[in-house]
Amino acid sequence: MSDLRELYQEVILDHSRNPRNFGRLENANHEADGNNPLCGDQITLFVRTEDGMVIDISFEGSGCAISTASASLMTEALKGKSIEDAQELFEQFHGMVTGDPMRESQSAQSMGKLSVLAGVREFPVRVKCASLAWHTFKAAIEEAVEPVSTE
Ligand code: ZN
C-alpha cells in the first residue's frame, strides 16, 4: 500500500505546485470566497454555468498544498458536469474525507483521481483544507441562484 500512498502524494504535490484552472474567470456568473482560518487557506472560486451545466470553473487564492491541490482537482472534476452531478460529487467527496461509512462504500469507485485525498480523514485539521474548495463551490452555486425570468 505504500506505493499507492506515494503515488497519491505525487498527485497532490503536482496539483499544488501546478494548479489547474488557476486564475480569474472573466465570464463567471457565480463567485464565492472561502476561508479556512485554522490553516490560513483562502480561495475565490469562479464558476460559469449554462443550462444547468458547469461550463467553466477556476480559482484564485493561496493556501497549503492540500487546499490548493484539492481545489485544482475539484475544478478538473467538475468542469463539464451538470450542477446536479456536481452536488452529488460534493456529497461523495465529503463522505470520503470525513470517513462517513454510510457514504464511503458508494464513493470509493466513482471518485477517480479525487480519491488521492482520502488520506486526509486521518488528520481532522486537513479535512477542512481538503473540503474548503468544495464548500466554496456549493456556496457559489447556491447563493447566486439564477434570477427567475418573467419573460
Ligand atoms: Zn490548509
Side-chain angles (χ1 to χ4, degrees):
M1 286 306 279
S2 67
D3 285 352
L4 194 60
R5 186 163 280 218
E6 270 171 37
L7 173 71
Y8 282 7
Q9 280 174 353
E10 241 169 70
V11 173
I12 290 170
L13 275 177
D14 175 39
H15 276 265
S16 67
R17 286 174 182 156
N18 307 295
R20 321 299 198 267
N21 305 303
F22 191 82
R24 175 172 290 270
L25 194 65
E26 291 303 337
N27 59 354
N29 53 1
H30 302 278
E31 187 179 329
D33 293 317
N35 256 305
N36 175 21
L38 269 180
C39 178
D41 307 318
Q42 288 187 324
I43 182 176
T44 303
L45 197 70
F46 306 94
V47 189
R48 168 103 197 142
T49 58
E50 266 173 44
D51 301 327
M53 301 286 291
V54 177
I55 300 296
D56 211 350
I57 179 169
S58 75
F59 74 104
E60 274 186 337
S62 61
C64 66
I66 297 287
S67 71
T68 304
S70 180
S72 173
L73 286 160
M74 181 191 78
T75 57
E76 277 197 330
L78 295 186
K79 200 185 277 193
K81 280 218 164 40
S82 71
I83 292 173
E84 217 176 11
D85 286 351
Q87 283 173 329
E88 176 66 28
L89 203 56
F90 169 92
E91 297 295 336
Q92 292 178 358
F93 182 83
H94 198 258
M96 180 184 77
V97 295
T98 55
D100 181 342
M102 292 296 285
R103 291 161 164 173
E104 210 175 329
S105 53
Q106 65 184 51
S107 69
Q109 289 160 339
S110 51
M111 295 304 288
K113 218 194 259 183
L114 294 169
S115 59
V116 299
L117 289 160
V120 301
R121 79 174 67 140
E122 291 164 43
F123 310 94
V125 176
R126 291 295 172 206
V127 171
K128 293 197 187 295
C129 300
S131 42
L132 175 65
W134 290 85
H135 285 295
T136 309
F137 171 76
K138 207 163 192 259
I141 292 298
E142 286 174 359
E143 182 198 52
V145 175
E146 313 238 351
V148 177
S149 171
T150 52
E151 288 177 351

